[in-house]
Amino acid sequence: FLDRSMGPLVGTVGGLGTWLVLILKSAFALIGLGAYVGLFFPNLPIMPLAVVMALVFGGLNLAGAKKSGSLQVVLVVSLITILSAFMAVGSFHLDAGQISALFDAEAKSIFATAGLVYMSYAVLSMVTSVAEEVRDPARTIALGVFLALG
């Protein structure tokens, strides 16, 4: 989108920026995943575990999209099962006094911010990712982005 609408220099800067963000996001996720695994296995060092996970996930991606997609389905089903069990058990231990202040007068601000963040990161990135398949992307994508924000 940037390359077509603003030229190759801006497209290159945007592409390098996106690449850097994805690398940093991946590193952050791997360190976070290592910290979570460390909760169950406290003697494992986080950094080497993150490096091993990066190599495993990289190898899985090299194996192909179908295999990584199959693993993703298994992981999502597992996470939904775990979260459902957590919610089922936790629903019997709810205490209304502990969550009464959750939705005070500031709830409007929380929902407005959540909506803005969702629109900014999820929807707008989806809109711009299809730029090469859109007729007249310089006009159509920009219009779609501004309409989505509106």
Side-chain angles (χ1 to χ4, degrees):
F1 167 70
L2 288 174
D3 183 45
R4 289 185 179 190
S5 63
M6 297 182 195
L9 179 62
V10 175
T12 301
V13 171
L16 289 173
T18 301
W19 177 73
L20 181 63
V21 165
L22 288 174
I23 286 177
L24 294 174
K25 181 178 163 185
S26 298
F28 181 73
L30 287 168
I31 294 295
L33 189 57
Y36 283 129
V37 171
L39 293 174
F40 299 103
F41 303 102
N43 295 330
L44 286 176
I46 292 175
M47 292 296 281
L49 182 61
V51 170
V52 167
M53 286 187 296
L55 293 172
V56 167
F57 291 137
L60 181 64
N61 281 324
L62 287 175
K66 286 186 179 183
K67 288 189 181 186
S68 61
S70 298
L71 178 64
Q72 187 174 6
V73 169
V74 170
L75 289 175
V76 168
V77 169
S78 300
L79 287 173
I80 289 173
T81 303
I82 290 168
L83 286 173
S84 297
F86 179 77
M87 290 187 323
V89 170
S91 65
F92 294 108
H93 300 285
L94 285 176
D95 181 12
Q98 293 177 335
I99 59 172
S100 63
L102 184 62
F103 294 107
D104 283 345
E106 299 300 317
K108 182 178 178 183
S109 300
I110 292 171
F111 287 120
T113 303
L116 178 65
V117 168
Y118 178 76
M119 289 297 296
S120 297
Y121 293 105
V123 177
L124 296 180
S125 66
M126 289 178 208
V127 168
T128 57
S129 68
V130 298
E132 70 181 39
E133 300 175 17
V134 174
R135 261 185 269 157
D136 191 18
R139 179 187 179 280
T140 307
I141 299 297
L143 181 64
V145 167
F146 288 119
L147 287 175
L149 280 174

